[in-house]
Amino acid sequence: MASSSPDLLFGLRNKFHIGAYQAAINNSDVPDLSTDEAIERDSLVYRSYIALGSYQLVIDEVDSSAPTALQAVKLLAIYLSGNKESAISSLREWLSDAAIGNNPVLRLVAGIIYMHEQDYNEALKHTNAGGTMELLALNVQIYIKMHRSDYAEKQLKLMQQIDEDHTLTQLANAWFNLAVGGSKIQEAYLIYQDFSEKYQTTGMILNGKAVCCMHMGRFDEAETLLLEALNKDAKDPETLANLVVCSLHVGKSASRYLSQLKLSHPDHVLIKRVSSAEDSFDRAVQTIA
């Protein structure tokens, strides 16, 4: 596609990146797409369904004749639906296949899955070469998880060189600023504030602003933002996890949010930490007894 051609998927891509998943699905009927653009459109729509928890829909609709990008997205749905071993086995097989192993969506899905597995080095094997803004943004996330903000900053600078105003560049900048902390928190807050003024307010944007507020000690403001996010999606794990932390700081009970999180997302890192702490406490009590 020539650079002078209009980017027909700009709006759809943007909705996906800011977490407006239902809006992305509702506005996916874009006319006059090329074959490659249609594949990208379908990929974004199926990833939106995955983000909304509709794994089975994706698994059912993407058949074995679908392009590699869509097969990769289906693999992510299989993994997130709980069939992890099967998904990782297929992923390894496909990544070793010279014909499809370098597909950017397959590499992206590999990065996402291995990041979920907390196998960051394996994730970087497939994402570190970059090639798309999404892969670069994922690299920023992975390096932040590894507490390597120096490497995260290098990836961010690559994104800024390509397109400083890109939504993913702005998001990655906010993630980086939050990771660095200090005076950078206010800069991250302003990025999310700009998003909330330009686009429809999503749970992702509200959580971003709320986390910034908590870092700055503004817990009452954070709570207001998180309750607004909860109204949009009562089962969103990040909203519930952030409400647990925020409630403790404002002196309110967090047990209801913790129970909701445990029911809807038993594998969430916060639930695992709480369970681990409870186990340690129980062991300590037994030792004393």
Side-chain angles (χ1 to χ4, degrees):
M1 188 172 72
S3 58
S4 59
S5 302
D7 184 354
L8 299 174
L9 294 176
F10 175 82
L12 178 62
R13 213 180 284 118
N14 217 48
K15 286 179 176 66
F16 176 77
H17 293 323
I18 63 164
Y21 303 118
Q22 192 60 55
I25 293 164
N26 294 348
N27 293 275
S28 60
D29 190 15
V30 184
D32 305 320
L33 296 179
S34 68
T35 303
D36 285 348
E37 286 169 334
I39 292 169
E40 185 185 354
R41 184 266 316 275
D42 292 346
S43 169
L44 288 165
V45 168
Y46 284 130
R47 287 172 66 198
S48 296
Y49 276 117
I50 288 172
L52 294 171
S54 299
Y55 310 131
Q56 198 58 47
L57 180 145
V58 179
I59 294 165
D60 291 343
E61 285 197 12
V62 179
D63 63 30
S64 57
S65 65
T68 302
L70 301 188
Q71 295 282 358
V73 173
K74 178 178 181 175
L75 210 55
L76 179 59
I78 292 168
Y79 174 84
L80 292 173
S81 70
N83 202 346
K84 294 182 179 182
E85 285 183 20
S86 167
I88 292 171
S89 172
S90 296
L91 182 64
R92 286 188 181 131
E93 187 184 326
W94 296 0
L95 288 166
S96 64
D97 184 335
I100 60 169
N102 207 33
N103 180 281
V105 179
L106 180 60
R107 287 166 52 219
L108 182 74
V109 165
I112 293 168
I113 287 176
Y114 284 119
M115 194 165 82
H116 272 278
E117 291 288 304
Q118 298 183 348
D119 189 345
Y120 303 125
N121 288 322
E122 187 63 32
L124 286 168
K125 278 185 196 174
H126 309 293
T127 63
N128 203 34
T132 69
M133 292 298 271
E134 280 208 271
L135 282 164
L136 290 170
L138 189 60
N139 285 338
V140 173
Q141 282 189 307
I142 293 167
Y143 282 125
I144 288 171
K145 292 270 189 190
M146 295 172 79
H147 306 290
R148 292 305 305 260
S149 55
D150 50 339
Y151 283 115
E153 186 174 22
K154 287 176 184 174
Q155 296 292 315
L156 175 59
K157 283 181 175 171
L158 285 173
M159 295 178 76
Q160 289 169 334
Q161 286 165 15
I162 296 165
D163 186 352
E164 196 167 7
D165 297 323
H166 195 290
T167 300
L168 277 177
T169 307
Q170 294 296 313
L171 271 174
N173 200 357
W175 302 332
F176 173 74
N177 288 339
L178 271 168
V180 172
S183 61
K184 290 284 186 184
I185 301 293
Q186 180 65 21
E187 291 179 36
Y189 179 84
L190 291 173
I191 290 170
Y192 286 115
Q193 180 62 29
D194 184 51
F195 278 163
S196 62
E197 289 169 3
K198 279 199 296 194
Y199 308 121
Q200 73 175 92
T201 306
T202 64
M204 182 191 290
I205 293 170
L206 289 165
N207 271 280
K209 284 175 74 175
V211 170
C212 294
C213 287
M214 286 195 281
H215 275 284
M216 294 187 286
R218 288 155 40 186
F219 292 101
D220 289 334
E221 186 181 342
E223 185 185 28
T224 301
L225 291 163
L226 291 168
L227 289 174
E228 188 184 338
L230 195 67
N231 282 334
K232 291 180 180 295
D233 182 356
K235 290 184 177 179
D236 179 66
E238 294 317 304
T239 303
L240 291 167
N242 286 329
L243 272 166
V244 169
V245 176
C246 192
S247 296
L248 293 171
H249 278 280
V250 295
K252 294 181 181 177
S253 171
S255 59
R256 184 172 292 172
Y257 301 129
L258 199 58
S259 296
Q260 284 177 271
L261 185 61
K262 200 169 188 175
L263 279 170
S264 56
H265 296 86
D267 289 335
H268 193 278
V269 63
L270 187 65
I271 296 300
K272 287 181 175 176
R273 281 181 190 162
V274 170
S275 298
S276 174
E278 286 172 350
D279 289 346
S280 298
F281 179 75
D282 288 344
R283 280 197 300 275
V285 169
Q286 283 165 5
T287 308
I288 295 164

